[in-house]
Amino acid sequence: MTAPSTAIVASTATASARLRRTTAALALLTAASLLGACSAQSQPDGAPGATGSTGTTSGTGAAAGPELTGELTVYAAASLTAAFDDLATRFEALNPALDVQPIVYDGSSTLATQIVEGAPADVFASADEKNMTVVSDAGLLADPAQLFASNTLVIAFPPGNPGGVTGLDDLTKADLSVVLCAAEVPCGAASQRLLAAAGLTVTPASEEQNVTAVLTKIKADEADAGLVYATDVAAAGASVEWIVPAGAADVVNHYPVATLAGAGNPTAAAAFVTYVLSADGQAVLAGYGFSAP
């Protein structure tokens, strides 16, 4: 299927990404098969958790329905990149006849606009409820969106903290280069709420269309500081340093996910949403620093 221009990636990069995902998926599938075989040998038929000749499970953790096949296209907020790549790999391992396409990541407002304009997505995962509402109001949800995670903001800066940032007040200093998400993007809207609650006005050196772009500039030492999600700095490791600003706990982004109306693969889309909401899916998200919805 043809993705919008902003989602196009080089064919070699896509092939490489798919190869890495397939390799990981096969490893997970092999491990799952071995565990299943051991379990079947150790439990008699009819025992709790035993798998008989008619008992199978799917990637949703429920009784299996039709085998998931074909392709699945997911649009997700940029802050979900690491977690959703992991979820997609695991979901493919559980459903080996299904091909999860390289997930399209961007700012939620950008993705919502693309979906409303006809982008061929099966699932949409937004970093806020506002942009999911845009898609819902356009009549493009197959089912009501469901919250699956939450996130909070931190102040990130290059290693060594060259700007000497100790709190939100420092972001107002004229001699500091501060990067923020644009106001229409979930991380930007949250940043504005956080700054407004502190009675502060910040003039950023640039406003980015997704949180990944903000973090990239900080990691490249092109900015003294910026507001990003706690999950982003967790994934960045030693490439950035960070502090939790005052009031962060009062500014929380809640993430909704939904199957889209007109999805090319509605069965797989619904199953993926169920997997994200499942105990296994929630454990993966927690491992990447996301909090409960």
Side-chain angles (χ1 to χ4, degrees), residues 130-275:
K130 176 183 176 182
N131 284 292
M132 183 63 76
T133 298
V134 170
V135 177
S136 177
D137 287 348
L140 297 178
L141 298 188
D143 299 294
Q146 300 183 70
L147 298 179
F148 68 93
S150 62
N151 217 342
T152 55
L153 293 171
V154 300
I155 303 174
F157 36 79
N161 193 10
V165 177
T166 60
L168 284 175
D169 288 352
D170 293 320
L171 302 186
T172 66
K173 294 180 178 178
D175 60 339
L176 287 188
S177 173
V178 177
V179 180
L180 300 176
C181 289
E184 66 271 17
V185 180
C187 65
S191 297
Q192 293 305 317
R193 293 199 307 273
L194 180 65
L195 293 168
L200 301 173
T201 300
V202 173
T203 302
S206 69
E207 293 182 302
E208 306 299 329
Q209 289 303 307
N210 60 64
V211 69
T212 301
V214 173
L215 192 63
T216 296
K217 287 200 169 185
I218 295 168
K219 290 166 65 175
D221 205 16
E222 296 176 4
D224 294 310
L227 288 169
V228 299
Y229 292 123
T231 52
D232 294 301
V233 294
S239 62
V240 297
E241 295 178 5
W242 53 277
I243 57 174
V244 178
D250 299 321
V251 180
V252 180
N253 273 35
H254 299 281
Y255 288 56
V257 63
T259 301
L260 295 169
N265 196 342
T267 301
F272 182 76
V273 170
T274 300
Y275 181 64

Side-chain angles (χ1 to χ4, degrees), residues 25-83:
L26 288 172
L28 283 169
L29 182 60
T30 300
S33 298
L34 291 172
L35 287 172
C38 293
S39 176
Q41 292 173 2
S42 63
Q43 298 184 48
D45 288 345
T51 301
S53 60
T54 60
T56 58
T57 57
S58 71
T60 65
E67 182 182 23
L68 300 181
T69 61
E71 297 181 348
L72 177 67
T73 302
V74 178
Y75 277 36
S79 54
L80 291 166
T81 300

